[in-house]
Amino acid sequence: MKKIIATEKAPGAIGPYSQGIAANGFVFVSGQIPIDPATGAFAGEDIKAQTKQSIMNVKAVLEEAGLGLENVCKTTVFLKNMGDFAAMNEVYAEYFCGDCPARAAVEVAALPKGALVEIEAIAAE
């Protein structure tokens, strides 16, 4: 059985998907782009600001499910430009340290709304 996770503290879905799904002890967080839910605009134009906001959006969905970033087992980071990896990683390391989740990072041709980064996560309850 699955449960839809939705919060106004993260950007609403811009397509036929849910912000998150809880199922069988896991929470699957859809890819979060760096939109500030309060303004509907990007949190900034550089990779560091956009990475921070993407993580904050993941965190908001997890919190709605009663979890936190410490519950994350796996992330996937989608980058518009792999040249931004080091700067993204610097911000990422502020939120995921110690027992870090598994992670993949890939460069993509484009992201929704022209974002520089998108982050998805899987967490365990």
Side-chain angles (χ1 to χ4, degrees):
M1 197 144 144
K2 68 180 183 178
K3 176 184 173 194
I4 304 296
I5 308 299
T7 179
E8 292 182 5
K9 295 179 181 176
I14 55 174
Y17 63 91
S18 300
Q19 290 172 315
I21 297 286
N24 297 322
F26 291 97
V27 173
F28 301 87
V29 179
S30 292
Q32 296 295 309
I33 60 174
I35 292 178
D36 180 338
T39 66
F42 283 142
E45 296 301 316
D46 67 18
I47 190 63
K48 287 186 175 186
Q50 289 197 14
T51 299
K52 179 179 178 179
Q53 186 63 52
S54 291
I55 293 170
M56 291 294 93
N57 293 342
V58 167
K59 182 179 177 192
V61 176
L62 290 171
E63 286 176 347
E64 185 66 24
L67 303 177
L69 292 174
E70 67 277 4
N71 296 96
V72 174
C73 298
K74 167 77 166 73
T75 62
T76 305
V77 178
F78 303 94
L79 292 167
K80 173 71 173 112
N81 181 344
M82 193 56 78
D84 287 335
F85 181 86
M88 174 282 297
N89 204 47
E90 184 179 322
V91 175
Y92 185 97
E94 294 174 17
Y95 296 94
F96 297 105
C97 54
D99 294 333
C100 297
R103 178 180 77 184
V106 296
E107 181 179 86
V108 296
L111 289 167
K113 300 186 176 261
L116 299 177
V117 64
E118 179 175 357
I119 301 174
E120 67 178 17
I122 300 170
E125 295 178 332

